[in-house]
Amino acid sequence: MRPGAAPAAVLVSLSLLLLGAGRPSAPLPDRMADTGGGTQLITAVAPGTGSTTGTVTWWDREDGRWVAAGSAPARFGARGLAEDTARRQGTNTTPTGLYGMPYAFGIEAAPRGTAYTYRPVRRNSWWCQDDDSRSYNRWTEPRAADCRAAEAEHLIGYRAQYAHALVVGFNYHRPVRGRGAGIFLHVNGRGATAGCVSVPRAAMRKILRWADPAREPHIAIGTRSGRTAITRY
């Protein structure tokens, strides 16, 4: 073949590739297996299972399509992410999957416009993580008699992180002992989390003002690809 010449079939293929290159990909929620059935969604995406940082984006379903309402840098567990059914308590991993968000809470007052049920943190507010307690993976106020203090979070002790938070429904409705408790979307602390997802304080306040329980928001947590890809949820 002489220099500069190309078969017609090659030219057609190149044209199609160039046309495809300029075509925007579908919004992330449209590429997911499930979004929870509501018209609001939060996605928390990490590059891989060993990552401790990523991105949180909150989405609205408008006129039959998903539109990003906001985005913020996110932090994950100090030991990355793990599949929900394989996760074990105390591993400092963030569980992947699609979850509801039962209610919000905080040490500080709810941002004006918050529609979610918002539970104020008091000095006797605890989250039980004791496998042997009937209050496992539940808010308990005061701390339940069968919930050991060493196996519970004294919520008021985390003034930065729990200034504002949303409960993530991981292992919540039918708790499996030993799988994990106390997974929240909350304000950043000093670094990676113990298994929660965290965002800057300003972003958490925006999310609380945006989230509308009547629109059934869910949170999807996952990686960009692989077995724990967010598109699988």
Side-chain angles (χ1 to χ4, degrees):
M1 183 171 65
R2 70 182 186 275
V10 173
L11 293 173
V12 170
S13 297
L14 287 171
S15 298
L16 290 173
L17 283 171
L18 289 171
L19 285 171
R23 188 179 302 149
S25 61
L28 176 57
D30 284 336
R31 292 180 274 125
M32 292 171 58
D34 190 6
T35 58
T39 57
Q40 286 189 328
L41 178 71
I42 297 172
T43 55
V45 186
T49 54
S51 304
T52 59
T53 60
T55 305
V56 158
T57 305
W58 47 106
W59 306 80
D60 288 304
R61 184 79 173 169
E62 298 177 354
D63 299 323
R65 64 193 187 99
W66 287 101
V67 179
S71 185
R75 294 174 181 172
F76 299 96
R79 295 187 66 185
L81 296 83
E83 281 194 277
D84 56 350
T85 55
R87 186 189 186 266
R88 301 301 298 172
Q89 188 161 306
T91 56
N92 289 341
T93 55
T94 298
T96 62
L98 178 69
Y99 309 104
M101 295 178 289
Y103 62 90
F105 68 88
I107 294 170
E108 297 181 16
R112 182 173 295 179
T114 299
Y116 250 85
T117 297
Y118 191 90
R119 194 165 187 175
V121 174
R122 301 183 175 90
R123 292 200 172 275
N124 62 346
S125 303
W126 295 74
W127 196 277
C128 184
Q129 300 178 356
D130 189 335
D131 285 340
D132 298 324
S133 174
R134 289 172 294 178
S135 299
Y136 180 68
N137 202 18
R138 287 292 184 274
W139 180 299
T140 173
E141 191 176 290
R143 179 171 50 85
D146 67 346
C147 183
R148 293 167 288 173
E151 299 295 329
E153 277 195 345
H154 193 196
L155 298 178
I156 205 165
Y158 299 86
R159 291 192 172 275
Q161 295 93 324
Y162 297 157
H164 306 293
L166 271 163
V167 176
V168 173
F170 165 73
N171 201 31
Y172 185 78
H173 296 290
R174 294 180 181 176
V176 175
R177 311 284 167 154
R179 184 167 288 173
I183 301 298
F184 313 124
L185 173 62
H186 64 68
V187 177
N188 283 341
R190 292 184 179 179
T193 73
C196 297
V197 179
S198 73
V199 293
R201 183 177 183 276
M204 192 68 225
R205 290 177 64 85
K206 287 179 182 178
I207 290 170
L208 285 172
R209 286 192 292 263
W210 159 86
D212 181 356
R215 297 179 63 185
E216 301 179 29
H218 286 66
I219 183 168
I221 304 168
T223 54
R224 289 178 187 164
S225 60
R227 185 180 179 88
T228 54
I230 196 166
T231 50
R232 295 183 62 230
Y233 303 114

